[in-house]
Amino acid sequence: MSGTTERPTNEPSQPAFDESYDVVVVGTGAAGLATALGAVDEGLTVLLLESTEKWGGSTSMSGGGMWLPNNALMRRAGAGDSRDEALKYMEATIGTPSASASPERKAAFVDGIDDFVETAERFGITFARAADYPDYYPELPGGKIGRGIEVKPLDSKILGTWWDSLLGAIPIPAKTDDVWLLGRAWSTPGGFVRGAKFVFRALGGVVTGKRLTGIGAAWSTAFGKTLMVDNNVPLWLESPLVDLIVEQDAVVGVRIMRDGKEVSVGARRGVMLAGGGFESNPSLREKYQGVHGSPSGNPGNVGVPIQVAEKHGAALELMDDAWWGASVQAVPGGTPAFIVGERSMPFSIVVDKQGNRFANESESYVDLGHHMLALDGGEGPYWLILDARHQHRYLRMFAMDPRANKAMKELGIAVKAKTLAELGSKIGVDSTAFRTTIERFNGYARSGVDADFGRGNSAYDRYYADPTQRPNPCLGTIEHGPFLAYKVVLGDLGTKGGIVTDTEARALRSDGTVIEGLYAAGNNSASVMGHTYPGPGSTIAPAAVFGVRAARHMARNR
């Protein structure tokens, strides 16, 4: 472990700081908390800064999964994987569309996985495998099933009062692999068994006096407890970044607003920018992406750290891209409902505003989002069409609040009709195109082969589908009313572009030189995943891995 080193106080140019730490971390999602964990492991002092009144970032609101190929849990379970297979798969899916997705960066991600997992485990954090969750393109070279891991559900009471300020703090002990089975809890044996296990898990927590939580909230709870409770790492809420402090071309601290006044904080080893993307900043989205967007991530992600870094010479990449997907349009005061499993179940299709299919409904959400953009720039609207059997057999995660359901009906976001002709008229699609689309799709459903878009061909498609549906678990005819349509918009889980970084998460200028003392990870940085999404948890995983890599580099240098 590296100790701290004080700079000489007799240097005339030494800035006067209100406070100083070895490491200052801007942001409290996976990238920020993992950086702090690495710093603590190295014996460095660290300060966590959060711009809003709630900490945890988009991570705490998420499914909490991490795509970590060839991880230690896989090896313990005897699940075959290797570094070479992981890199072969990443090359096949990602390629090299940007400097952020260079071969060196992809290798650094894979090579940093063990350090992140084993460090977290040494601090008492317990992970579980999502053994059935496939890569998003498992048929490509190096593709696998079961590379995802997550924090096991745990008692959120271990956070103490920090739980009260955790963003999206919901005490539901769900796991990633609960979601796909709970969607069919009353329609398939496997779904019923998983539903029963989930109920007993929840009841077990109640009986034992625990407040169990899972998925993203569990991730933040586990890391937050390790940092703020066990190791007394300070976390300052409502302390937004104002600027970086630079001396002799090196970043030596930050200026923030705290309690209504500007405060300067020194960073002896480095500043980590881990403050999320810019999905909640309409002007930046319009500038870089040409859309206002319908984000489902942290409303505090407005892109300030990215803008500040650019002002100091940092290069930016992938600013036109995001972790796209399809979302049910939000009701006033609500959030767009990101849809995944619901569109993969049989007896459903997605059509455009003319009434035509335009993509494989079961494909990766990023791919579906890109297809929306290619079709009409994401303008929409699009419609998720459900046969009565879908409505009766499968759980719609976005339709569980009676008040929201009522509002969706009143606003025309949810439209019901006895016949398909009536439904098409109500949602305003072309009657001929819609009828032709339904007839064509029904023929594919009966044959089991989607000749237009290949729905159901991939193991990923079938993951969220209904295995009791024959001959294709993703396909079911649209012919039994009443029919239901939901208005779908181009959604996202956050933006993908940001600061260009190297293998150690150091910020780079456009000429490739390093901005000394400045690091970036998570959605403040341009993604190592390029324009795609190789597997479940491809946002949180590199955020965490590069966070730890950054902390190790800070400990070795400066």
Side-chain angles (χ1 to χ4, degrees):
M1 294 186 184
S2 300
T4 62
T5 57
E6 297 286 346
R7 292 184 177 182
T9 57
N10 58 353
E11 292 183 6
S13 60
Q14 179 74 14
F17 298 117
D18 295 302
E19 294 199 33
S20 289
Y21 297 82
D22 293 322
V23 178
V24 174
V25 177
V26 177
T28 55
L33 297 183
T35 303
L37 181 70
V40 168
D41 191 47
E42 292 285 354
L44 304 178
T45 60
V46 58
L47 170 66
L48 287 163
L49 297 173
E50 171 57 50
S51 64
T52 71
E53 63 183 9
K54 298 281 188 178
W55 65 280
S58 292
T59 298
S60 65
M61 303 169 64
S62 74
M66 294 175 287
W67 185 72
L68 297 170
N70 195 34
N71 64 70
L73 279 74
M74 294 181 73
R75 292 195 293 275
R76 293 168 198 161
D81 201 359
S82 68
R83 179 182 189 271
D84 288 345
E85 287 175 298
L87 291 175
K88 181 184 295 185
Y89 177 70
M90 292 183 75
E91 188 58 38
T93 54
I94 300 168
T96 309
S98 60
S100 63
S102 67
E104 294 79 13
R105 285 254 304 162
K106 291 196 285 281
F109 165 66
V110 173
D111 293 340
I113 287 171
D114 278 349
D115 187 19
F116 163 69
V117 172
E118 292 168 6
T119 299
E121 289 182 328
R122 279 194 285 103
F123 278 88
I125 295 170
T126 304
F127 296 112
R129 286 186 67 213
D132 298 315
Y133 211 147
D135 291 346
Y136 288 177
Y137 312 92
E139 290 77 26
L140 290 181
K144 297 283 183 181
I145 293 176
R147 281 171 162 161
I149 72 172
E150 63 191 306
V151 171
K152 288 185 69 172
L154 73 169
D155 184 5
S156 62
K157 290 182 179 179
I158 61 175
L159 262 183
T161 57
W162 284 112
W163 173 259
D164 300 330
S165 56
L166 176 62
L167 183 65
I170 302 176
I172 300 176
K175 296 172 65 179
T176 300
D177 58 356
D178 286 330
V179 177
W180 66 291
L181 284 167
L182 287 175
R184 54 178 192 259
W186 52 79
S187 59
T188 70
F192 178 81
V193 170
R194 180 52 60 92
K197 287 182 178 179
F198 174 77
V199 169
F200 282 118
R201 189 188 310 148
L203 289 176
V206 173
V207 169
T208 57
K210 296 177 180 178
R211 188 179 59 207
L212 295 178
T213 192
I215 54 176
W219 202 106
S220 297
T221 295
F223 282 79
K225 189 261 186 182
T226 297
L227 294 169
M228 287 98 75
V229 178
D230 294 346
N231 288 282
N232 298 310
V233 171
L235 163 57
W236 294 356
L237 299 174
E238 299 182 272
S239 301
L241 176 70
V242 174
D243 204 353
L244 300 173
I245 301 174
V246 179
E247 181 188 48
Q248 298 176 355
D249 291 330
V251 174
V252 297
V254 297
R255 299 191 193 282
I256 63 170
M257 290 299 296
R258 191 180 190 212
D259 296 329
K261 65 179 181 179
E262 191 170 287
V263 176
S264 64
V265 183
R268 290 179 286 266
R269 297 302 184 96
V271 171
M272 165 58 80
L273 298 182
F278 57 93
E279 63 269 20
S280 295
N281 187 323
S283 64
L284 287 183
R285 299 208 69 164
E286 188 63 39
K287 175 182 177 180
Y288 289 109
Q289 301 174 340
V291 301
H292 287 294
S294 297
S296 296
N298 180 8
N301 290 345
V302 294
V304 171
I306 296 173
Q307 292 177 294
V308 169
E310 184 183 28
K311 183 179 74 172
H312 288 280
L316 306 182
E317 276 186 336
L318 302 176
M319 295 292 282
D320 61 332
D321 213 348
W323 306 99
W324 303 112
S327 294
V328 173
Q329 182 176 307
V331 300
T335 302
F338 203 76
I339 51 175
V340 181
E342 295 91 346
R343 57 182 170 80
S344 198
M345 292 294 189
F347 313 111
S348 68
I349 59 170
V350 175
V351 299
D352 62 18
K353 59 187 174 185
Q354 278 80 38
N356 299 308
R357 289 179 75 212
F358 59 92
N360 167 9
E361 294 88 347
S362 301
E363 68 188 356
S364 159
Y365 29 92
V366 167
D367 286 349
L368 183 58
H370 282 143
H371 281 127
M372 291 175 167
L373 287 163
L375 179 70
D376 59 8
E379 180 182 339
Y382 319 92
W383 294 93
L384 173 64
I385 311 296
L386 306 180
D387 179 279
R389 288 165 292 179
H390 188 292
Q391 301 167 53
H392 296 153
R393 296 184 186 185
Y394 312 124
L395 184 67
R396 282 162 283 150
M397 299 293 185
F398 58 82
M400 299 181 68
D401 183 345
R403 295 168 298 177
N405 290 340
K406 181 181 179 182
M408 283 193 286
K409 291 177 182 177
E410 292 174 348
L411 295 167
I413 297 170
V415 180
K416 202 161 193 174
K418 292 181 179 179
T419 67
L420 285 166
E422 180 189 1
L423 185 71
S425 176
K426 284 186 173 182
I427 64 177
V429 298
D430 180 86
S431 59
T432 301
F434 189 50
R435 183 177 64 253
T436 301
T437 294
I438 296 294
E439 291 173 353
R440 187 178 180 88
F441 178 80
N442 285 349
Y444 295 155
R446 293 186 183 101
S447 70
V449 178
D450 177 9
D452 286 339
F453 300 106
R455 181 174 171 184
N457 290 354
S458 171
Y460 174 74
D461 293 0
R462 299 188 293 273
Y463 177 73
Y464 285 107
D466 184 347
T468 67
Q469 175 65 18
R470 300 286 189 269
N472 186 323
C474 295
L475 302 180
T477 56
I478 312 295
E479 58 184 348
H480 290 240
F483 303 95
L484 186 58
Y486 287 96
K487 185 180 288 187
V488 172
V489 296
L490 176 68
D492 65 77
L493 298 174
T495 50
K496 185 178 282 198
I499 302 158
V500 180
T501 56
D502 67 5
T503 58
E504 311 311 311
R506 295 183 297 176
L508 302 177
R509 300 181 181 90
S510 58
D511 63 2
T513 58
V514 171
I515 301 176
E516 294 294 339
L518 185 62
Y519 299 75
N523 288 350
N524 266 178
S525 64
S527 176
V528 70
M529 302 302 174
H531 293 293
T532 191
Y533 207 121
S538 293
T539 52
I540 297 177
V545 168
F546 282 108
V548 172
R549 288 190 73 97
R552 301 294 187 213
H553 188 271
M554 292 181 203
R556 295 193 304 268
N557 296 278
R558 301 289 302 278

